[in-house]
Amino acid sequence: MIKFDRVSKRYPHGIDALSDLSIEIADGDLAIVSGHSGAGKSTLLKMITAMEKPTVGTVLVNGQNVGALKDAGLPYYRRNLGIVFQDQRLLFDRSAFDNVMLPLTISGFPSTEAAKRVNAALDKVGLLARAKAMPIALSGGEQQRLAIARAVVNRPKLLIADEPSAHLDARTALDIAQIFIDFHRVGVTVMVSTCDPTFLAAEASCRIALDHGRLTR
Ligand code: ADP
């Protein structure tokens, strides 16, 4: 379970990105974080991935106070998270397969089992046939799928994606939405941010709508 208890975030020299936010996301939820550009969606997700700390309040993930984690504890904490970054962070000099393999190499996974997992992750996002392709040869939607495959190859219980439908046409956005629905159906807790009020709107089991860092009423 994820719980924000009266969380505020003020960036240095900045405005309040989040103000007095209290929310709960249950295990197995498909949670949508919506709002305009600058509403605080990325900041909210970064609190969960421990990329930012609250200025005030606490963020608990499965009972763990994420803001109090020491740097040394972060890799262990993040092992249970799948993160799809807004800028994807693909390695353009490596194949699709090698991009997905990277997290397993880092965590020292045995190579035969790792290759099976990479293929399974590519298959789940419909990219198995493109395993040898370089990212530059993939379409925008395929690159997004690749970023999702890399995020799930460690089989995380919590999958977080920051605006995964940005820059995609409506048809491709629907395909990407279906991938998140599929993970939700097999019990993964999924949190997705979006500027598009229709994205996953019907399927969400938890809706967090932000306006200038506050929950909309
Ligand atoms: P969203 O994801 O909804 O577009 P963000 O969480 O990225 O919103 O940003 C919320 C507010 O915080 C914005 O006003 C943004 O300019 C500000 N902000 C985000 N990151 C930083 C940062 N690293 N330093 C200063 N201000 C930031």
Side-chain angles (χ1 to χ4, degrees), residues 11-18 35-44 46 52 86 162-163 193 195 210:
Y11 287 107
H13 313 297
I15 56 140
D16 290 343
L18 294 175
H36 58 87
S37 177
K41 305 180 296 297
S42 285
T43 301
L44 187 157
K46 284 177 182 167
E52 293 290 349
Q86 204 168 20
D162 197 1
E163 301 211 33
S193 72
C195 279
L210 294 176

Side-chain angles (χ1 to χ4, degrees), residues 90-203:
L90 298 174
L91 299 175
F92 279 82
D93 58 345
R94 301 197 197 182
S95 68
F97 183 94
D98 287 346
N99 266 274
V100 181
M101 177 65 96
L102 194 67
L104 298 180
T105 307
I106 290 169
S107 57
F109 220 80
S111 59
T112 330
E113 176 65 13
K116 280 188 201 152
R117 280 211 182 194
V118 172
N119 285 327
L122 286 168
D123 195 25
K124 272 196 197 118
V125 301
L127 270 190
L128 193 52
R130 309 298 317 270
K132 290 188 180 139
M134 300 301 276
I136 197 75
L138 301 177
S139 68
E142 287 173 330
Q143 290 183 7
Q144 192 58 273
R145 287 162 186 268
L146 182 57
I148 297 170
R150 187 188 50 193
V152 299
V153 73
N154 268 323
R155 299 186 183 162
K157 292 196 173 66
L158 173 58
L159 174 59
I160 293 176
D162 197 1
E163 301 211 33
S165 68
H167 318 302
L168 300 179
D169 61 69
R171 176 70 246 169
T172 311
L174 278 178
D175 291 345
I176 295 293
Q178 188 58 49
I179 294 173
F180 292 110
I181 293 166
D182 292 345
F183 282 111
H184 169 57
R185 287 201 178 131
V186 296
V188 176
T189 308
V190 179
M191 282 194 80
V192 176
S193 72
T194 182
C195 279
D196 173 1
T198 66
F199 188 70
L200 286 166
E203 296 83 5

Side-chain angles (χ1 to χ4, degrees), residues 63-84:
Q64 189 155 30
N65 183 349
V66 181
L69 283 170
K70 301 264 185 298
D71 284 353
L74 292 181
Y76 184 78
Y77 169 72
R78 291 191 184 126
R79 278 228 299 249
N80 293 316
L81 305 182
I83 307 172
V84 181

